[in-house]
Amino acid sequence: MPSQPAIVLPPAPAGHALTIRLTAATQAKPLLRALAALDLGDDLAVGFGWPFVQALSAKIEGLRAFPVYTTPEGPLPATQADVWVYVRATDPGTALAELLSLTRQLPGGLDFVEDQPVFTYAGGRDLTGYEDGTENPKADAALAAAFVADGPLAGSSFVAAQRWVHDLVRFAGMPGPEQDATIGRARKDNAELTEAPPSAHVKRTAQESYDPPAFMLRRSMPYGTAKEQGLYFVAYGADLDRFERVMRRMCGEEDGTVDALFRFSRPVTGGYYWCPAVADGKLDLRPMLPTGVDGLPDVEVPAS
Ligand code: HEM
């Protein structure tokens, strides 16, 4: 079953993340009709949140609302929305043009909650200067990590999306060796530190250290303005459990050791979405609606 191509492709130079919530003015069916009509090229990934699937009286095995993760300093935000869109583009102007061409096809009255331009920095680095994505599984292993292999959801994927806000001033104030120990890699050559502390990010998240291994395909991209900067974290997986296990360990829920990332960064949003496979260039909605979108009763789309 073909999958959404934008999931497999590496981050483009620019992009845009959008989360959408239904409002009293616009209900699930008109939005689904519009999304079902979209031509999915290489540059658009679309996912549905649990509230949206529930509003359609449907069920996707394994999809649930983003939970509340807890660090010793308190709970992290869960901002589950109905629909998630991730645009890839050659440059920021094209990203916006692609986004607008998409939103113009949607019914009016929707709430665009997160509306976040993103970009590739310094050839694929986080704004701290560390390479991001090094240990992503490659080729067939990437497909195995990101997509459901068989059964009714074959070819589809689950995604965790989370906007992290960095305190880059604080990070810059750390001595170089402490910065490297925070990530667990050397910024100058990306080599993994042999003596990294257990709190180092790559120690907390080492995919093979989980049972079963927690392989995921990360497609995170930086964002920023003078006021606020960080990483728009995106991880695709054949299920959400792998993200959940890694996140719980990062938060210290497993052994009390909190990921050193929290010393300079915090998530401010978080959502889980199911990204359907593709049939004839469009979202394959059969696992959600066995009768297809045509089986939906006509609903009038309110004017914006
Ligand atoms: C501020 C947010 C984050 C930043 C700046 C960040 C940055 C990095 C960097 C620089 C690496 C090392 C290079 C690489 O293999 O990609 C890395 C690895 C990794 N990160 Fe993150 N990350 C963030 C959040 C997360 C979150 C929320 C998760 C999942 C819950 C995660 C999962 C992973 C995984 C699985 C690896 C590879 C570990 C391995 O197998 O070696 N990261 N991250």
Side-chain angles (χ1 to χ4, degrees), residues 226-248:
K227 288 185 195 149
E228 195 170 77
Q229 320 80 30
L231 187 73
Y232 192 85
F233 176 86
V234 172
Y236 296 100
D239 55 56
L240 292 168
D241 299 356
R242 59 194 73 203
F243 170 82
E244 208 144 305
R245 285 181 291 140
V246 175
M247 194 64 206
R248 292 206 183 285

Side-chain angles (χ1 to χ4, degrees), residues 4-288:
Q4 295 189 34
I7 295 178
V8 187
L9 292 167
H16 201 107
L18 181 72
T19 58
I20 304 174
R21 281 216 182 107
L22 299 170
T23 61
T26 304
Q27 294 302 309
K29 285 175 183 173
L31 176 57
L32 185 68
R33 272 184 186 285
L35 293 168
L38 290 176
D39 286 316
L40 283 185
D42 287 353
D43 293 336
L44 178 64
V46 178
F48 299 134
W50 178 82
F52 185 68
V53 173
Q54 208 197 25
L56 291 159
S57 308
K59 185 170 179 353
I60 293 297
E61 202 58 47
L63 180 65
R64 53 209 182 241
F66 195 84
V68 174
Y69 292 98
T70 309
T71 69
E73 287 183 8
L76 303 180
T79 58
Q80 184 63 58
D82 287 301
V83 174
W84 173 83
V85 168
Y86 204 33
V87 168
R88 309 172 68 254
T90 49
D91 57 83
T94 308
L96 183 62
E98 282 179 20
L99 181 79
L100 294 180
S101 119
L102 169 98
T103 55
R104 282 180 192 136
Q105 295 175 63
L106 304 182
L110 292 165
D111 187 6
F112 296 146
V113 189
E114 268 187 277
D115 188 6
Q116 185 61 64
V118 292
F119 51 80
T120 291
Y121 170 63
R125 291 169 192 263
D126 174 65
L127 291 176
T128 50
Y130 288 83
E131 274 187 41
D132 193 12
T134 312
E135 289 296 333
N136 260 337
K138 314 275 180 308
D140 285 352
L143 303 183
F147 299 109
V148 180
D150 41 40
L153 300 184
S156 71
S157 181
F158 293 87
V159 67
Q162 222 182 6
R163 185 166 73 87
W164 289 66
V165 178
H166 291 355
D167 184 340
L168 289 175
V169 174
R170 184 164 192 180
F171 192 77
M174 294 178 185
E178 191 184 334
Q179 294 180 337
D180 283 357
T182 298
I183 301 295
R185 283 184 177 267
R187 181 166 45 196
K188 68 170 164 34
D189 59 4
N190 197 29
E192 207 168 331
L193 304 188
T194 42
E195 306 270 295
S199 61
H201 180 54
V202 301
K203 286 282 184 202
R204 295 278 88 197
T205 57
Q207 296 157 100
E208 277 159 333
S209 69
Y210 291 80
D211 184 19
F215 288 111
M216 58 184 86
L217 190 60
R218 286 167 294 131
R219 293 294 187 232
S220 313
M221 295 178 78
Y223 69 89
T225 60
K227 288 185 195 149
E228 195 170 77
Q229 320 80 30
L231 187 73
Y232 192 85
F233 176 86
V234 172
Y236 296 100
D239 55 56
L240 292 168
D241 299 356
R242 59 194 73 203
F243 170 82
E244 208 144 305
R245 285 181 291 140
V246 175
M247 194 64 206
R248 292 206 183 285
R249 197 187 277 175
M250 284 176 66
C251 291
E253 288 185 25
E254 203 176 89
D255 57 7
T257 302
V258 179
D259 196 306
L261 275 186
F262 283 99
R263 293 181 198 159
F264 78 95
S265 192
R266 279 196 89 71
V268 292
T269 68
Y272 285 159
Y273 302 89
W274 172 67
C275 304
V278 174
D280 298 326
K282 304 196 189 280
L283 294 171
D284 182 0
L285 301 174
R286 283 171 294 182
M288 208 161 73

